[in-house]
């Protein structure tokens, strides 16, 4: 009988832990990109006309970024397909890596020019506010950094081989 009471307590504790974990995750989820864009419109107190123009800019930017992300995916696929060829030369690998970097550059430039156009929508007072909040808004839109990349090296492990000249 004592054993069953113990199991009931453990089950209740596990339920409480699960509920608190789910609650924590629910209330601390990162903002969505649309929420960030809405944040800009709200903080800058856009007029109805500015909101319309802003919506058109968002749509055009989203379309451009989606196309670039598709190109990025295709370039990454081609890059890793090079692994199938045991005799691939370093020039071909470097070119494939460079093609990926060019897409990332286009994404960054697209985002910069998008925000430049958003700033151009603003009156002088809104431009001052824009200049104050743009770095925070851009950080909110960026993908999370934590947990990305390769796992840390362990003590005594060798890293990848150095690149060939």
């Amino acid at each position: 009988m004592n054993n069953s009471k113990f199991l009931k307590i453990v089950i209740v504790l596990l339920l409480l832990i699960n509920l608190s974990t789910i609650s924590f995750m629910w209330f601390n989820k990162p903002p969505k990109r649309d929420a960030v864009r809405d944040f800009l419109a709200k903080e800058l107190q856009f007029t109805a006309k500015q909101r319309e123009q802003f919506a058109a800019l968002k749509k055009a930017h989203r379309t451009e970024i989606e196309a670039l992300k598709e190109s990025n995916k295709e370039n990454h696929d081609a890059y890793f397909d090079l692994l199938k060829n045991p005799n691939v030369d370093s020039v071909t690998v470097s070119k494939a890596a460079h093609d990926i970097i060019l897409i990332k550059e286009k994404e960054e430039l697209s985002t910069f020019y998008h925000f430049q156009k958003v700033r151009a929508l603003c009156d002088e007072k809104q431009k001052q506010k824009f200049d104050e909040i743009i770095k925070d808004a851009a950080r909110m839109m960026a993908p999370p950094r934590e947990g990305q990349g390769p796992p840390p090296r362990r003590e005594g492990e060798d890293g990848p081989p150095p690149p060939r000249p």
Side-chain angles (χ1 to χ4, degrees), residues 34 37 51-67 110 114 118:
D34 286 338
R37 290 183 178 117
R51 284 183 188 271
E52 264 183 52
Q53 294 170 323
F54 183 55
L57 287 175
K58 284 192 311 188
K59 184 177 179 183
H61 181 250
R62 185 176 296 125
T63 301
E64 185 176 359
I65 290 295
E66 285 173 5
S110 174
H114 167 70
V118 171

Side-chain angles (χ1 to χ4, degrees), residues 98-163:
H98 184 70
D99 290 345
I100 292 169
I101 291 168
L102 288 177
I103 300 243
K104 181 63 177 167
E105 179 184 29
K106 288 177 184 176
E107 287 178 15
E108 294 297 324
L109 289 171
S110 174
T111 300
F112 178 86
Y113 291 127
H114 167 70
F115 283 125
Q116 190 177 53
K117 291 172 188 170
V118 171
R119 189 177 188 278
L121 291 177
C122 300
D123 62 29
E124 288 308 311
K125 184 179 175 187
Q126 290 169 327
K127 284 180 182 176
Q128 288 177 354
K129 182 69 174 177
F130 178 92
D131 294 343
E132 292 171 14
I133 65 173
I134 188 57
K135 288 179 185 173
D136 291 333
R139 283 187 195 105
M140 289 167 61
M141 285 179 59
R145 294 254 184 230
E146 193 173 316
Q148 288 183 345
R153 276 194 236 163
R154 294 184 187 148
E155 195 74 27
E157 282 187 359
D158 290 334

Side-chain angles (χ1 to χ4, degrees), residues 36-76:
V36 175
R37 290 183 178 117
D38 292 340
F39 163 78
L40 274 177
K42 181 182 169 202
E43 285 294 312
L44 297 173
Q45 299 175 348
F46 279 158
T47 64
K49 183 180 179 184
Q50 286 173 317
R51 284 183 188 271
E52 264 183 52
Q53 294 170 323
F54 183 55
L57 287 175
K58 284 192 311 188
K59 184 177 179 183
H61 181 250
R62 185 176 296 125
T63 301
E64 185 176 359
I65 290 295
E66 285 173 5
L68 288 170
K69 288 194 182 296
E70 183 60 32
S71 293
N72 189 30
K73 180 187 172 300
E74 291 168 5
N75 282 357
H76 269 92

Side-chain angles (χ1 to χ4, degrees), residues 15-29:
L15 281 171
L16 290 174
I17 290 170
N18 281 337
L19 286 173
S20 61
T21 301
I22 291 169
S23 298
F24 177 80
M25 290 171 55
W26 179 263
F27 290 112
N28 292 310
K29 60 186 172 185

